[in-house]
Amino acid sequence: MASRLHAFNRFELKYLVPVEQATEIRDELAERMDRDAHSPVGGYGVWSLYYDTAQLRFYWEKIEGLKFRRKLRIRHYGNPDGVTDESPVCVEIKQRVNRVTQKRRITLPYGIARRLCDGREMVEHSPKESAFIQEVLELIVRLDLRPTAITGYQREALVGRDADTGLRVTFDRRVRGRDRDFHFGIPNPENRFTIPPHMSVMEIKVNERTPHWITDLAARRNLNLVRVSKYVQSIEAFGLAPRSVFHVHEADYPPATPTPTPQQPQYQRPAPGASMKAGAQ
């Protein structure tokens, strides 16, 4: 069996910007960057199911700013409507070591991913995937992890060209979540906005250093770095932790329909294989 395992390290810088300003920044970046080939007009959906302990260990590690911390999640790229046991998802361990973000993931059919993470069963895998599968299972059993929160948002992605090939900038809007109904395919789940719907999360992701021209752009536009975690926002928005300060029902702000330009074709729902590639980084 061919390995489905993928791993990478990078530095991440996050900014919270109004949606209108994010659009301006995206258009300016597009002069020196390319649209991700798998990011259609209007972006693509990213949905993540996070696992945590009954005492919210991973949440508090983030709040306390531990230099080494990690999270376990199942991630689906695309529209969650119609997700079946055969739909491809990623089982992912995301960890922070000092300032470096590390991600290791394996692509599995949704039904098998749930057997691993919810059923706590060993699943079929190749020898190269064994260490990662064992680590996931050991984490779940040792810490008694259980589904805790789902986050979802619409992402647009740009990638660097030429000397900036390690650069990736994403814009996440309509950031929302829920603390129940943890199956991706549930129709009409009750999501709430966990970040105000008029705000967008902009992330600059680099392998080594941030290009000077992009730090100049951030300074010129008075962008301020923020420590924002979509998982933390979901935990707080539903009162699972005492810092809850904000929530808005998703139905109160229905999504707008993107208007393509002549150079941008209408969005077509990607095939299952293509939708996974949209989140390859």
Side-chain angles (χ1 to χ4, degrees), residues 45-277:
V46 182
W47 293 88
S48 301
L49 170 59
Y50 286 88
Y51 290 75
D52 209 334
T53 68
Q55 296 76 32
L56 300 177
R57 170 177 175 157
F58 297 157
Y59 165 83
W60 288 111
E61 287 180 350
K62 170 66 175 179
I63 292 299
E64 293 168 4
L66 297 191
K67 291 186 176 181
F68 175 81
R69 58 184 184 269
R70 55 184 170 178
K71 295 192 289 279
L72 174 69
R73 65 193 181 194
I74 297 178
R75 173 163 282 190
H76 170 70
Y77 294 96
N79 192 329
D81 295 344
V83 169
T84 69
D85 283 350
E86 287 70 43
S87 300
V89 298
C90 292
V91 175
E92 180 175 280
I93 293 177
K94 179 180 180 180
Q95 62 189 35
R96 182 74 172 251
V97 181
N98 293 321
R99 295 178 55 245
V100 180
T101 298
Q102 301 176 339
K103 291 185 181 181
R104 289 167 294 137
R105 60 169 61 155
I106 186 172
T107 303
L108 297 172
Y110 185 39
I112 294 179
R114 294 183 71 191
R115 280 175 48 204
L116 173 65
C117 297
D118 296 341
R120 305 182 179 191
E121 301 177 22
M122 178 58 67
V123 298
E124 183 181 1
H125 60 275
S126 71
K128 290 183 178 180
E129 299 164 348
S130 182
F132 180 76
I133 293 288
Q134 293 280 2
E135 181 179 357
V136 169
L137 200 54
E138 188 271 340
L139 263 180
I140 293 169
V141 173
R142 177 171 58 86
L143 298 180
D144 190 23
L145 301 182
R146 72 269 319 261
T148 304
I150 280 183
T151 67
Y153 45 89
Q154 198 72 6
R155 166 167 286 182
E156 293 184 89
L158 299 172
V159 294
R161 64 170 77 115
D162 301 327
D164 299 322
T165 52
L167 173 66
R168 180 176 172 87
V169 180
T170 58
F171 297 89
D172 299 337
R173 66 182 189 281
R174 298 184 60 77
V175 182
R176 52 222 193 265
R178 61 182 185 265
D179 65 345
R180 65 200 72 186
D181 298 333
F182 293 131
H183 193 296
F184 283 140
I186 288 178
N188 304 315
E190 183 185 346
N191 293 312
R192 297 180 182 179
F193 283 100
T194 55
I195 289 176
H198 65 279
M199 301 299 288
S200 175
V201 179
M202 171 183 167
E203 293 187 42
I204 299 172
K205 309 170 186 186
V206 294
N207 295 335
E208 296 181 359
R209 63 175 183 83
T210 306
H212 67 85
W213 63 266
I214 205 166
T215 54
D216 289 345
L217 180 151
R220 176 165 38 83
R221 289 184 172 270
N222 296 316
L223 302 183
N224 295 313
L225 286 170
V226 296
R227 292 182 60 206
V228 60
S229 162
K230 300 178 182 76
Y231 171 61
V232 165
Q233 291 297 115
S234 283
I235 291 295
E236 295 178 357
F238 287 93
L240 300 180
R243 298 160 59 96
S244 178
V245 294
F246 180 85
H247 68 265
V248 176
H249 286 282
E250 180 182 15
D252 293 340
Y253 289 86
T257 302
T259 302
T261 65
Q263 293 76 29
Q264 297 173 325
Q266 285 278 4
Y267 166 63
Q268 295 182 349
R269 188 172 180 174
S275 66
M276 286 303 307
K277 294 179 182 177

